[in-house]
Amino acid sequence: MAQITVRDLALGYDSHVIADKLNFSVSSGDYLCIVGENGSGKTTLMKTLLHLQPPIKGEIIIGDGLKANEIGYLPQQTVVQKDFPASVSEIVLSGFQGQMGFRPFYNSSEKEIARENMERMGILPLANRCYRDLSGGQQQRVLLARALCATRKVLLLDEPVSGLDPKVTLGMYELIQELNQEGITIIMISHDIAASVRYASHILHVGREIFFGTTEEYRESSIGKFFLQQQEGGADDVG
């Protein structure tokens, strides 16, 4: 059974539809990249999957033992969030808040998991540093460690390499690939279609045309060929 199944989903605001007739499923261990033109509804879809925004119509079915509070989320950062005056360890630990109920303090198990996740992300030496003093790549690793505190099952990542230099971008892609190989399901929005077909197992393309299938099927499809050629030709407006 799929962890997430989307049926006949329509997305938008105040009854204004920006994406319609979305049908796809995500199973345990999948690596799904969501690509498409600007304004096509990629971030709106992710917010709808997280139940942060209701769909206009259609349904999202959570299955395979997955609970709504077992989905980790790494959103796009705003300028204000990048300047957040908290320590690295405080931000990583905040990933547990969705599971704490009314309990006011983190327990020893949560603190140990946070430490392990900081170590996995290579940021343990930064634990007491102020988040706003870190580089963009370090901040993304902090947010990834935070998301891992929320889940060991599914990670939703919204443009996780946006604004990073090429070397840091490659490191982040490799880190996400390692998490997927460890069994974590990845759902990632990306403007980089070439990188998406390099790393992902499945592609969802939203826009004037909608495609969902394996990466190889996307490579061979007319829409996949068109957008891959666009990026190879230097176009950067398909994200």
Side-chain angles (χ1 to χ4, degrees), residues 69-145:
N69 68 350
E70 293 179 320
I71 300 175
Y73 179 42
L74 194 162
Q76 286 195 62
Q77 284 198 91
T78 65
V79 173
V80 172
Q81 289 168 332
K82 290 180 180 180
D83 199 38
F84 195 67
S87 72
V88 166
S89 60
E90 287 172 331
I91 289 178
V92 174
L93 277 165
S94 70
F96 289 109
Q97 289 181 353
Q99 307 167 29
M100 293 175 64
F102 296 104
R103 177 161 48 87
F105 302 110
Y106 303 111
N107 60 36
S108 58
S109 175
E110 289 163 345
K111 291 178 181 178
E112 176 60 21
I113 293 170
R115 190 198 68 78
E116 291 173 357
N117 284 331
M118 286 189 285
E119 189 169 27
R120 291 177 72 198
M121 297 297 106
I123 56 170
L124 189 57
L126 307 176
N128 296 319
R129 289 273 303 277
C130 185
Y131 177 76
R132 65 184 176 188
D133 294 335
L134 305 181
S135 69
Q138 290 170 333
Q139 287 188 344
Q140 288 299 80
R141 286 174 178 263
V142 172
L143 295 181
L144 199 48

Side-chain angles (χ1 to χ4, degrees), residues 7-211:
R7 293 180 181 166
D8 297 322
L9 198 68
L11 308 171
Y13 300 89
D14 301 323
S15 76
H16 173 65
V17 177
I18 58 176
D20 197 6
K21 298 178 182 177
L22 294 175
N23 290 276
F24 65 94
S25 62
V26 183
S27 297
S28 178
D30 281 356
Y31 188 150
L32 172 67
C33 273
I34 303 171
V35 301
E37 302 93 328
N38 284 326
S40 59
K42 300 187 295 295
T43 295
T44 304
L45 171 59
M46 190 161 281
K47 290 180 178 178
T48 305
L49 292 175
L50 289 161
H51 302 288
L52 300 175
Q53 179 176 322
I56 292 177
K57 65 178 180 179
E59 60 181 340
I60 299 169
I61 302 166
I62 304 296
D64 197 23
L66 181 67
K67 299 176 183 177
N69 68 350
E70 293 179 320
I71 300 175
Y73 179 42
L74 194 162
Q76 286 195 62
Q77 284 198 91
T78 65
V79 173
V80 172
Q81 289 168 332
K82 290 180 180 180
D83 199 38
F84 195 67
S87 72
V88 166
S89 60
E90 287 172 331
I91 289 178
V92 174
L93 277 165
S94 70
F96 289 109
Q97 289 181 353
Q99 307 167 29
M100 293 175 64
F102 296 104
R103 177 161 48 87
F105 302 110
Y106 303 111
N107 60 36
S108 58
S109 175
E110 289 163 345
K111 291 178 181 178
E112 176 60 21
I113 293 170
R115 190 198 68 78
E116 291 173 357
N117 284 331
M118 286 189 285
E119 189 169 27
R120 291 177 72 198
M121 297 297 106
I123 56 170
L124 189 57
L126 307 176
N128 296 319
R129 289 273 303 277
C130 185
Y131 177 76
R132 65 184 176 188
D133 294 335
L134 305 181
S135 69
Q138 290 170 333
Q139 287 188 344
Q140 288 299 80
R141 286 174 178 263
V142 172
L143 295 181
L144 199 48
R146 179 185 186 274
L148 287 170
C149 286
T151 186
R152 288 293 302 159
K153 293 186 177 181
V154 180
L155 283 177
L156 270 60
L157 313 173
D158 191 349
E159 298 278 13
V161 301
S162 179
L164 304 182
D165 67 47
K167 183 178 179 181
V168 177
T169 292
L170 179 60
M172 183 62 67
Y173 277 138
E174 290 176 346
L175 195 55
I176 294 167
Q177 184 180 42
E178 288 173 11
L179 293 173
N180 179 245
Q181 290 170 345
E182 291 172 12
I184 296 177
T185 303
I186 303 293
I187 302 175
M188 181 173 75
I189 292 175
S190 178
H191 70 278
D192 189 340
I193 296 179
S196 297
V197 299
R198 187 180 309 128
Y199 293 103
S201 62
H202 294 76
I203 301 290
L204 173 65
H205 190 119
V206 293
R208 289 182 291 273
E209 292 183 70
I210 294 172
F211 172 93

Side-chain angles (χ1 to χ4, degrees), residues 52 80 214 216 223:
L52 300 175
V80 172
T214 66
E216 188 55 39
I223 187 171

